Amino acid sequence: MHSADLLDALVVKELPGRRGLGAWQALLRAQATLIRQLDRDLESETGLPLADFDVLAQLAVAGGELRMTELADRALISRSGMTRRVARLVEEGLVRRAAVAADARGVVVELTEAGMARLSETAPVHARGIRKLFVDQLDDDELTALETALDKVTLDCGFG
């Protein structure tokens, strides 16, 4: 049996009639395409990579600080990857690390004034990209249906 035929047979066994496979593949393509373009646009216009923007934004949304482990979870980055990213952001003066008083092993990452200023410069560029690349492509009913469906998937998986 050819490898493509084998893969197809295995998929059809778990997804009879390939139900939902097209939607799944479209979701993955859209996510990868949007993230790549948002990253390219943000970095070319502001010099800040999307992953760095996300760290700064997660800290701002959380009130300015988060434990390193929670920051990694929210930004969907491995803990080791987050450690390297935060080290670079510390060097740039955008965040600082602080020990958690009650836990000698715990580390809190705090947004600095320079980090908040950088976020203020880049957030409008990021929001414009979201509008242009995503929101403007869909009507209100499509946006509502997509949000509802994705929230359902997220909740059914135990997140959210």
Side-chain angles (χ1 to χ4, degrees):
M1 181 179 275
H2 189 267
S3 59
D5 294 333
L6 175 61
L7 178 60
D8 188 56
L10 293 169
V11 168
V12 169
K13 182 178 178 185
E14 297 299 327
L15 294 170
R18 294 177 188 79
R19 182 177 183 269
L21 188 58
W24 173 252
Q25 291 169 337
L27 173 68
L28 294 178
R29 277 192 311 274
Q31 190 268 351
T33 301
L34 290 169
I35 295 301
R36 247 190 328 270
Q37 191 62 51
L38 286 168
D39 185 43
R40 191 172 19 246
D41 292 350
L42 189 66
E43 192 154 11
S44 72
E45 290 185 46
T46 70
L48 189 70
L50 182 60
D52 289 357
F53 171 85
D54 189 36
V55 169
L56 299 179
Q58 293 297 335
L59 290 169
V61 167
E65 69 178 42
L66 282 169
R67 283 179 168 263
M68 182 75 86
T69 54
E70 189 173 353
L71 180 57
D73 288 345
R74 287 184 183 205
L76 304 177
I77 297 174
S78 69
R79 284 173 177 59
S80 62
M82 182 57 72
T83 299
R84 289 188 299 275
R85 184 164 304 283
V86 166
R88 199 172 59 257
L89 292 171
V90 166
E91 287 177 17
E92 295 175 22
L94 302 178
V95 301
R96 72 178 142 262
R97 288 182 217 204
V100 177
D103 179 3
R105 295 175 303 159
V107 175
V108 170
V109 180
E110 300 172 340
L111 190 60
T112 64
E113 285 185 35
M116 195 60 213
R118 192 76 167 103
L119 187 59
S120 296
E121 295 167 6
T122 55
V125 174
H126 182 60
R128 263 193 312 277
I130 292 169
R131 180 185 42 78
K132 180 181 84 174
L133 298 169
F134 179 70
V135 175
D136 288 352
Q137 308 304 315
L138 304 168
D139 66 31
D140 289 345
D141 290 340
E142 290 168 325
L143 288 168
T144 299
L146 184 58
E147 182 178 357
T148 299
L150 294 175
D151 279 348
K152 181 179 181 344
V153 169
T154 303
L155 290 172
D156 286 352
C157 289
F159 298 100

